[in-house]
Amino acid sequence: MASDKEIFSLSGAAHLTVIDWNNSYHRTSVAANLIQGTYILECDRQKQRQGPQALAPAWWDFFHFQLTRALVDDTDNSIIGAIYEFKYPPYNNNFQQNPPRYVIAIRGTVPKASGLSKDLKLDLQFIGNRLHKSRRFQIAMQAVQEMVTLAGAANIWLAGHSLGAAIALLAGKHMVKLGCPVETYLFNPPFTSAPIDKIKNEKVKQGVRFASSLITAGITAAVSNKNQKVQREDSFQVLSTWIPYLFVNPSDPICSEYVGYFEHRQKMAELGAGGIGRVATQNSIGSLFSTALGKDIEPAHLLPSAYLTTNMNSGKDFKECHGIHQWWKQDSQWQFKLHQFS
């Protein structure tokens, strides 16, 4: 039997009977529900639910989208994402708002009964900063480029959750560098660093962050030549004009460090150590070791700018704090802050 979380009428944003596309909560809820639709597409495939038994269509039909194409990983035939097209309601001929024409949604990890899933292997690739070489990233990147060519970047949304958010983040960065920034929604993206934010003592936490920034800046100076430093600074500056929507739960150890990452950068500037903060915010220890080995790899998870939404509801367990469903709950307590690199 299907779980309640797979059934839209029980767990989806069915309370949004009229969508205000200028309302950030509505836009967030729709993006999150469409991502959930990609999860259920894969669950339908695994459980062989077809036709009237399929549960996925309700997750996009309710918001007047139709499935244009499922994104399929040809190495294991799993559905990793979907392209949805918005269809204007026939009863509203004077639609004045601006919904996305297409949404490209990418799911995160789905358990597989037959053994270690490709999803988990990709999680390890992300930790090793090798996600850009994966077949799934190539599939997602190709889809984004095709849809931007078809409809224009201004008419596209890119959205992802967890591992899917990591893929969407990487694809979004590439599109910015191509001069085609896409509106992007990143839910619980993984941050490959120790969760310093979990340290309870505030002074100890800030001390660890400050020491980490000094170490990162020092290693950067030691292993990077002048051209590498200039290229990295230029790349970060180009990306800084792109402001994706970033959704984080501080009780989720996978993504919680994004909160500290942005706050610490601001505190370093307030302490008069903005230069060190600028260097540290562009580099990770892992990417610097790669540089030392002759491989100049940009850290996939680091962001110059973001519109950060923090869910202050701690949740009862890890699954709830990391899950996609929290991002359309009506009783959530959210905090919002714009962080822009300059």
Side-chain angles (χ1 to χ4, degrees):
M1 290 184 62
S3 70
D4 288 355
K5 288 196 171 183
E6 293 181 87
I7 301 172
F8 177 79
S9 60
L10 299 178
S11 299
H15 57 282
L16 295 179
T17 54
V18 178
I19 300 298
D20 177 0
W21 291 101
N22 298 318
N23 182 301
S24 61
Y25 168 69
H26 288 200
R27 292 163 73 88
T28 297
S29 298
V30 172
N33 275 255
L34 294 179
I35 293 170
Q36 178 66 358
T38 68
Y39 277 106
I40 309 306
L41 268 173
E42 172 60 11
C43 291
D44 282 348
R45 184 192 72 86
Q46 288 189 23
K47 298 175 182 179
Q48 298 183 343
R49 296 187 300 229
Q50 300 177 0
Q53 284 74 45
L55 299 177
W59 290 89
W60 57 80
D61 286 344
F62 185 83
F63 303 107
H64 305 290
F65 283 89
Q66 69 176 23
L67 178 65
T68 297
R69 174 159 60 99
L71 302 179
V72 178
D73 185 339
D74 47 19
T75 62
D76 64 358
N77 293 319
S78 61
I79 297 171
I80 64 167
I83 301 174
Y84 304 105
E85 182 179 5
F86 183 75
K87 291 297 183 181
Y88 286 92
Y91 54 80
N92 194 337
N93 296 321
N94 297 312
F95 205 84
Q96 299 298 316
Q97 296 181 12
N98 187 32
R101 183 176 171 189
Y102 293 97
V103 177
I104 303 165
I106 307 170
R107 66 165 176 84
T109 302
V110 171
K112 193 174 183 180
S114 59
L116 182 64
S117 71
K118 182 75 177 294
D119 301 346
L120 294 175
K121 294 176 183 177
L122 277 175
D123 291 334
L124 296 176
Q125 277 191 293
F126 176 78
I127 294 172
N129 212 29
R130 301 191 309 275
L131 190 61
H132 62 290
K133 295 184 177 180
S134 70
R135 179 63 182 143
R136 288 198 184 175
F137 169 69
Q138 293 169 2
I139 292 168
M141 189 69 224
Q142 183 178 358
V144 174
Q145 290 178 307
E146 288 176 353
M147 299 315 296
V148 166
T149 300
L150 173 67
N155 297 308
I156 307 295
W157 282 10
L158 177 59
H161 173 248
S162 191
L163 174 62
I167 293 173
L169 170 55
L170 198 53
K173 285 183 174 182
H174 277 260
M175 294 309 297
V176 174
K177 292 176 182 178
L178 292 173
C180 301
V182 175
E183 186 166 326
T184 304
Y185 295 78
L186 306 169
F187 298 91
N188 301 80
F191 192 101
T192 54
S193 169
I196 300 172
D197 208 55
K198 293 299 179 184
I199 298 174
K200 300 300 182 184
N201 187 298
E202 194 64 28
K203 288 185 178 180
V204 172
K205 180 163 60 178
Q206 295 308 319
V208 170
R209 290 197 191 284
F210 191 82
S212 177
S213 293
L214 289 175
I215 292 169
T216 302
I219 295 176
T220 302
V223 304
S224 302
N225 60 43
K226 185 176 180 180
N227 286 338
Q228 288 172 326
K229 292 175 185 176
V230 170
Q231 288 174 1
R232 202 165 291 164
E233 177 78 25
D234 288 346
S235 175
F236 221 64
Q237 196 66 54
V238 168
L239 290 172
S240 68
T241 58
W242 175 58
I243 306 178
Y245 295 92
L246 179 62
F247 302 88
V248 170
N249 190 317
S251 296
D252 174 13
I254 288 179
C255 66
S256 62
E257 191 55 28
Y258 271 109
V259 177
Y261 168 76
F262 284 112
E263 289 181 350
H264 179 64
R265 190 169 74 191
Q266 182 177 330
K267 287 180 180 178
M268 290 290 283
E270 292 170 355
L271 291 170
I276 294 173
R278 284 179 67 89
V279 173
T281 201
Q282 299 172 52
N283 298 279
S284 69
I285 300 297
S287 68
L288 291 172
F289 278 123
S290 296
T291 300
L293 295 172
K295 301 176 182 178
D296 194 18
I297 301 174
E298 181 181 297
H301 62 290
L302 299 186
L303 271 170
S305 306
Y307 190 81
L308 179 65
T309 299
T310 306
N311 186 357
M312 304 312 295
N313 295 53
S314 59
K316 61 184 179 182
D317 54 27
F318 166 75
K319 287 184 69 175
E320 187 172 320
C321 293
H322 187 65
I324 190 69
H325 289 74
Q326 66 183 298
W327 298 111
W328 62 80
K329 285 187 174 180
Q330 293 176 278
D331 58 350
S332 295
Q333 298 178 10
W334 294 356
Q335 291 183 358
F336 310 92
K337 189 165 185 179
L338 172 64
H339 295 276
Q340 193 154 17
F341 184 81
S342 59

